């Protein structure tokens, strides 16, 4: 019999999460025991998960990539590798889509209770211990995500990121970076740096056909300059999964890298859609630290 800890946002306005959590608890009785952990903030969740994770066979998250990031960050800080069950409840659910997980709650619950555990890669920042479940962005894409409203995400889904992202990218502002990857140092100006751990970005699961969630690699895209004339070609390559082939895009595969800001203004990162630390940063990959329940 397994022990499950169900983690969800218990703040006001998240009644659906609570209903799903209790539904999972009832469904799990034939397979084991399930305890519920409703948290009001990221900090509260981090502390509670670090303290309790070692006592359970599987941690079940209800939410999107941000909820997953909080859970994985807590596991890294506690150095507790374990199995995760995912009930997608976010707007984009990028990581769940990359793994081919069901997005509907009942099917997701069935996958957690009867599916197969598969090891997945987990990016992280060694200096802070923060996890990178799906992506880290710097520059224009980070600014774009900050300006996307929750109502727009609900109405348009991942397409809103694509639309607003390209709208931002045709502006002239760029930044100067020093990127050290695969024992080589690159100093250049760029509008965007994007680091991914899977084949999916913003819910587009064919974004990078060379990547997978268990290839032990970070995938880094450096976008130097976008122009309106190139916009249609970039959009076509983005959707076709060949964005790395676009003119003006540098692509690297590595197990770690460092990024330094050589511009005059401070630059912050966004990790899995939420604001994070400012540059400089070191990024690394941790393989086989966690497993995720996937369909048989």
């Amino acid at each position: 019999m397994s022990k499950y800890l169900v983690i969800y946002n218990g703040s006001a306005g998240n009644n659906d999460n609570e209903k799903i959590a209790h539904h999972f608890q009832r469904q799990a009785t034939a397979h084991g025991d399930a305890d519920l952990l409703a948290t009001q903030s990221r900090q509260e969740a981090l502390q509670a998960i670090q303290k309790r994770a070692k006592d359970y066979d599987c941690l079940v998250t209800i939410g999107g990539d941000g909820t997953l990031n909080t859970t994985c960050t807590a596991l890294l800080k506690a150095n507790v590798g374990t199995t995760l069950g995912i009930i997608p409840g976010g707007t984009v659910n990028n990581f769940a889509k990359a793994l081919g997980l069901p997005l509907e709650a009942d099917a997701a619950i069935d996958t957690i209770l009867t599916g197969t555990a598969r090891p997945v890669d987990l990016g992280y920042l060694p200096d802070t211990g923060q996890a990178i479940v799906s992506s880290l962005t710097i520059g224009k894409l980070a600014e774009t995500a900050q300006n996307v409203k929750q109502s727009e995400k609900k109405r348009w889904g991942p397409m809103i990121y694509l639309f607003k992202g390209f709208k931002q990218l045709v502006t002239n502002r760029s930044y100067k970076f020093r990127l050290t990857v695969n024992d080589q140092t690159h100093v250049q100006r760029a509008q965007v740096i994007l680091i991914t751990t899977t084949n999916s970005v913003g819910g587009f699961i064919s974004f990078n056909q060379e990547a997978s969630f268990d290839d032990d690699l970070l995938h880094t895209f450096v976008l130097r300059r976008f122009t309106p004339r190139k916009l249609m070609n970039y959009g076509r390559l983005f959707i076709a999964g060949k964005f790395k082939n676009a003119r003006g895009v540098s692509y690297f595969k590595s197990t770690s890298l460092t990024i330094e800001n050589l511009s005059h203004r401070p630059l912050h990162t966004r990790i899995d859609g939420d604001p994070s630390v400012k540059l400089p940063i070191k990024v690394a990959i941790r393989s086989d630290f966690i497993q995720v329940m996937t369909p048989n």
Side-chain angles (χ1 to χ4, degrees):
M1 302 291 280
S2 298
K3 291 186 66 177
Y4 301 92
L5 180 63
V6 185
I7 303 159
Y8 64 99
N9 185 344
S11 60
N14 286 281
N15 291 333
D16 287 346
N17 288 349
E18 186 171 4
K19 291 177 182 177
I20 293 171
H22 284 284
H23 181 50
F24 178 90
Q25 192 175 43
R26 291 190 295 269
Q27 295 295 106
T29 54
H31 303 269
D33 298 319
D35 294 330
L36 306 186
L37 175 59
T39 61
Q40 304 296 318
S41 68
R42 176 179 171 87
Q43 190 59 38
E44 179 188 352
L46 285 171
Q47 293 174 352
I49 296 167
Q50 287 181 70
K51 183 178 179 180
R52 301 178 64 179
K54 65 182 184 300
D55 299 325
Y56 294 88
D57 303 301
C58 180
L59 304 189
V60 178
T61 66
I62 303 173
D65 294 320
T67 303
L68 270 173
N69 182 283
T70 299
T71 301
C72 291
T73 296
L75 293 174
L76 284 169
K77 289 180 178 291
N79 197 28
V80 176
T82 191
T83 300
L84 296 180
I86 299 173
I87 303 176
T91 304
V92 178
N93 300 308
N94 187 69
F95 191 68
K97 290 177 180 177
L99 270 66
L101 303 182
L103 302 181
E104 192 272 327
D106 282 327
I109 290 171
D110 183 65
T111 294
I112 295 167
L113 298 177
T114 66
T116 301
R118 297 184 62 181
V120 300
D121 298 333
L122 187 61
Y124 71 106
L125 305 182
D127 292 337
T128 66
Q130 182 172 0
I132 304 169
V133 173
S134 289
S135 64
L136 179 151
T137 57
I138 307 166
K140 287 294 182 183
L141 283 183
E143 294 175 6
T144 297
Q146 186 173 353
N147 294 327
V148 173
K149 299 176 182 177
Q150 187 66 26
S151 59
E152 292 176 321
K153 289 197 291 183
K154 288 183 178 180
R155 182 176 183 183
W156 301 107
M159 289 300 297
I160 190 64
Y161 291 101
L162 190 60
F163 172 74
K164 289 202 171 186
F166 282 130
K167 187 177 179 181
Q168 281 270 11
L169 287 169
V170 296
T171 62
N172 291 323
R173 182 185 297 167
S174 62
Y175 313 92
K176 190 174 183 180
F177 299 99
R178 180 185 291 118
L179 174 68
T180 303
V181 57
N182 297 327
D183 297 322
Q184 294 185 334
T185 298
H186 308 265
V187 176
Q188 62 185 87
R189 299 194 69 86
Q191 289 187 313
V192 172
I193 294 179
L194 168 65
I195 302 172
T196 69
T197 60
T198 72
N199 60 313
S200 181
V201 170
F204 292 92
I205 59 174
S206 61
F207 172 74
N208 182 8
Q209 297 174 0
E210 288 191 17
S212 67
F213 58 81
D214 58 356
D215 60 7
D216 303 342
L217 292 170
L218 298 165
H219 299 264
T220 302
F221 299 80
V222 180
L223 290 64
R224 293 190 290 275
R225 176 75 186 278
F226 279 64
T227 64
R229 191 170 65 177
K230 297 177 181 178
L231 188 58
M232 291 298 293
N233 187 48
Y234 287 147
R236 179 180 61 82
L237 292 172
F238 186 98
I239 294 172
K242 299 179 180 179
F243 193 61
K244 64 184 180 61
N245 298 329
R247 180 175 295 182
V249 174
S250 300
Y251 172 60
F252 305 93
K253 294 187 286 187
S254 66
T255 56
S256 65
L257 71 154
T258 59
I259 305 172
E260 300 167 82
N261 178 20
L262 302 182
S263 298
H264 296 298
R265 56 177 292 185
L267 280 173
H268 287 76
T269 61
R270 288 186 75 90
I271 295 178
D272 297 326
D274 292 324
S276 188
V277 298
K278 66 180 181 180
L279 299 184
I281 58 169
K282 180 177 181 179
V283 186
I285 196 82
R286 189 157 182 181
S287 305
D288 301 335
F289 179 66
I290 59 171
Q291 300 182 98
V292 173
M293 297 301 297
T294 60
N296 291 319

